Amino acid sequence: MVLVESVTAPLLIQHPSPVCLEMDIDAHLPIPCDSRRAADLIMALSRQALDAMPDGGDLSIMACQTEHGIELEIADSGSDVQTRERHLPIAAAAVNAELQWQNCPQGGVAVTILFPAQSSSSRLAA
């Protein structure tokens, strides 16, 4: 949670329009890989979400631990997946994370980062 807040706060401050951030992340959830690479990945995907919301909107970031690893989802109220640019950040490959994009029923897009279980040994740190 601290890592996500420290990465997204400057982006939200710089964004030209108001964005409502909602987070649901357990403060004790471990960082599933090198914290710098995780921060790079979260920053890149958060930027893409904010770029899809030039007039502002809602940004929701959730994370949970599953038997397969850690899943972190970044959802926004911007344009749909077919009409936006999606870039695969190099940081995803560096930490062996899989990215899945999907349209949200209420509008916008969610990208889920699937961090594999074997890399889930680090602890949260900012």
Side-chain angles (χ1 to χ4, degrees):
M1 182 172 80
V2 173
L3 176 70
V4 172
E5 284 179 338
S6 66
V7 168
T8 56
L11 297 174
L12 292 170
I13 290 168
Q14 295 170 358
H15 195 64
S17 300
V19 174
C20 177
L21 173 64
E22 180 181 338
M23 284 188 19
D24 184 9
I25 301 173
D26 182 346
H28 301 292
L29 190 65
I31 296 176
C33 58
D34 175 73
S35 62
R36 182 171 297 198
R37 289 188 172 163
D40 290 345
L41 180 55
I42 294 165
M43 183 180 300
L45 293 172
S46 295
R47 270 197 187 118
Q48 287 182 35
L50 291 171
D51 287 348
M53 299 186 298
D55 298 326
D58 297 314
L59 183 65
S60 178
I61 303 176
M62 298 158 269
C64 65
Q65 190 160 13
T66 70
E67 63 186 40
H68 303 291
I70 300 224
E71 294 184 13
L72 187 138
E73 180 180 87
I74 301 171
D76 64 69
S77 60
S79 58
D80 66 20
V81 75
Q82 291 82 10
T83 59
R84 73 167 62 189
E85 284 193 46
R86 291 178 295 149
H87 302 284
L88 182 62
I90 293 174
V95 298
N96 199 28
E98 180 184 338
L99 303 180
Q100 297 175 345
W101 278 273
Q102 64 183 358
N103 287 322
C104 297
Q106 69 276 19
V109 167
V111 59
T112 303
I113 307 165
L114 306 167
F115 295 99
Q118 63 268 21
S119 64
S120 303
S121 60
S122 301
R123 295 295 301 165
L124 264 172

